[in-house]
């Protein structure tokens, strides 16, 4: 079984945490998504960081287009890992 991953890029920690909570309700995700701070190259300021929500989709149930639209609700996007 292949392990499909989805990466949602969000503008701040609050958006990432809120999106991670809503993911379970909307998409029926049972595994807790990982939230990771991704500092932009050469920047130490927290304001210059993006937040990533990492999802495993071992059963390949999640639709990439729906996840992209979902991330857009928080002014983010889905990125290919």
């Amino acid at each position: 079984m292949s392990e499909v991953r989805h990466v949602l890029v969000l503008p701040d920690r609050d958006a990432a945490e809120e999106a991670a909570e809503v993911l379970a309700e909307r998409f029926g995700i049972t595994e807790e998504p990982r939230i990771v701070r991704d500092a932009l190259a050469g920047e130490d300021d927290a304001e210059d960081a993006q937040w990533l929500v990492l999802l495993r989709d071992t059963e390949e149930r999640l639709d990439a287009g729906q996840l992209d639209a979902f991330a857009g609700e928080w002014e983010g996007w889905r990125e290919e890992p």
Side-chain angles (χ1 to χ4, degrees):
M1 180 184 322
S2 67
E3 182 173 313
V4 176
R5 289 187 176 267
H6 298 282
V7 178
L8 306 182
V9 181
L10 300 168
D12 58 51
R13 183 179 188 148
D14 290 341
E17 290 176 348
E18 186 177 338
E21 288 178 19
V22 175
L23 275 165
E25 297 168 18
R26 192 170 307 173
F27 294 98
I29 293 171
T30 57
E31 185 176 328
E32 183 84 21
R34 281 187 52 213
I35 299 174
V36 178
R37 181 180 180 269
D38 183 32
L40 300 177
E43 299 294 336
D44 293 327
D45 187 356
E47 295 296 317
D48 294 323
Q50 296 172 328
W51 289 81
L52 309 178
V53 177
L54 308 176
L55 305 167
R56 286 192 334 166
D57 185 18
T58 55
E59 297 175 13
E60 299 183 34
R61 295 184 320 112
L62 302 173
D63 178 75
Q66 288 179 342
L67 287 174
D68 195 36
F70 176 80
E73 294 176 25
W74 284 273
E75 297 180 13
W77 64 91
R78 187 188 65 84
E79 197 167 273
E80 293 293 330

